Amino acid sequence: MSKKRTSRQTRRYSTATPPRRPTPSKRPAWRRFGRRRRRSLAWPWALALAVVVASGSALIVASSGSSSTSTAAGASAGPLLASTASFDGGSPGQPVDGIQCNNAEQLLFHVHSHLAVFVDGQQRSVPAGIGIAPPRQSVAGATGSEVVAGSCFYWLHSHTADGVIHIESPLRRTYTLGEYFDIWHQPLSATQVGPAQGPVIAYVNGVRFSGNPRDITIGNHTRVQLDVGRDVSPRPYTFPLGL
């Protein structure tokens, strides 16, 4: 067999080198289009998701800001106006203005008000435990220490230091801010709020009150603000859920 014929047979039956895979640029047009289409379909969804997430974050931030603004008037944002020492030393348990101190809370008439006090433009805190006779038992709560037990409960009392007044009474009757201060054993007049003295400006539910602040009626979600010495525009307050 001639060399020429052998070389032809060798070329015919020898293993051919496998072809190289096409480079990405040589892939079929339909596949490249499919990829582009998937990407083009995906990015609007990604953009929409980003907008939703951003909107949710904005709502959370706005909600948080609103909450902190709303509760700023009631939070413990300053020194105590007065402690409960005067109440503790004032024969707790004896009726005050016809309001009794019972062994358990009376829930026939159960509503809540809020009291905020500013002295010379600075907020003062109202203590927990007003109207709850010692010895008291406290637990940690969302707004700080909460008084949960005592030897007796007046129908007007405070569990927390956020300014919330609990009206828990066996009678459906009208209660006043003056009665709450009497239970606290602190003075309240047109010229004095507790130990703070000066002209007193009162707001009830954001409206200026004319008259003696002792006569302010407190009831379901009544918001009272007392300014001593300097007028402070009414601050908003949102009652916690469940109150």
Side-chain angles (χ1 to χ4, degrees):
M1 185 179 295
S2 65
K3 292 182 179 181
K4 191 172 185 179
R5 185 175 180 182
T6 302
S7 62
R8 283 199 300 269
Q9 289 178 350
T10 302
R11 286 197 303 271
R12 180 180 299 175
Y13 296 105
S14 61
T15 304
T17 303
R20 294 182 178 179
R21 293 183 179 181
T23 60
S25 60
K26 294 182 180 180
R27 288 190 175 184
W30 66 267
R31 182 171 293 181
R32 296 199 303 273
F33 173 77
R35 282 194 164 191
R36 286 199 300 270
R37 190 180 182 195
R38 285 195 295 271
R39 286 197 295 267
S40 65
L41 291 176
W43 77 263
W45 289 102
L47 179 60
L49 179 61
V51 170
V52 170
V53 171
S55 300
S57 300
L59 286 175
I60 292 173
V61 171
S63 175
S64 300
S66 175
S67 176
S68 60
T69 301
S70 299
T71 57
S76 297
L80 283 176
L81 174 67
S83 69
T84 60
S86 57
F87 164 71
D88 297 344
S91 301
Q94 297 299 316
V96 176
D97 299 339
I99 299 173
Q100 299 179 13
C101 194
N102 300 122
N103 293 333
E105 296 173 288
Q106 308 298 308
L107 302 180
L108 176 65
F109 182 49
H110 187 189
V111 294
H112 304 88
S113 298
H114 180 263
L115 172 64
V117 179
F118 291 82
V119 178
D120 295 328
Q122 299 299 316
Q123 188 174 359
R124 297 296 180 89
S125 298
V126 178
I130 297 172
I132 303 177
R136 302 182 186 91
Q137 180 180 349
S138 301
V139 297
T143 58
S145 180
E146 297 183 8
V147 179
V148 295
S151 60
C152 65
F153 295 82
Y154 282 91
W155 301 343
L156 306 180
H157 58 261
S158 66
H159 288 280
T160 53
D162 55 1
V164 173
I165 302 171
H166 291 250
I167 303 173
E168 300 176 7
S169 166
L171 305 172
R172 292 185 178 273
R173 51 158 284 190
T174 299
Y175 294 96
T176 65
L177 191 63
E179 292 170 335
Y180 185 61
F181 272 74
D182 288 346
I183 292 172
W184 190 5
H185 284 263
Q186 289 293 330
L188 176 63
S189 68
T191 59
Q192 187 170 1
V193 178
Q197 298 184 10
V200 177
I201 300 172
Y203 292 94
V204 179
N205 296 330
V207 179
R208 187 158 178 167
F209 178 84
S210 59
N212 192 327
R214 288 187 54 84
D215 299 331
I216 295 174
T217 299
I218 54 177
N220 187 32
H221 285 191
T222 303
R223 293 174 289 107
V224 180
Q225 178 175 316
L226 302 178
D227 301 334
V228 183
R230 193 173 88 186
D231 189 8
V232 177
S233 59
R235 301 291 179 85
Y237 178 80
T238 300
F239 285 86
L241 293 176
L243 294 186

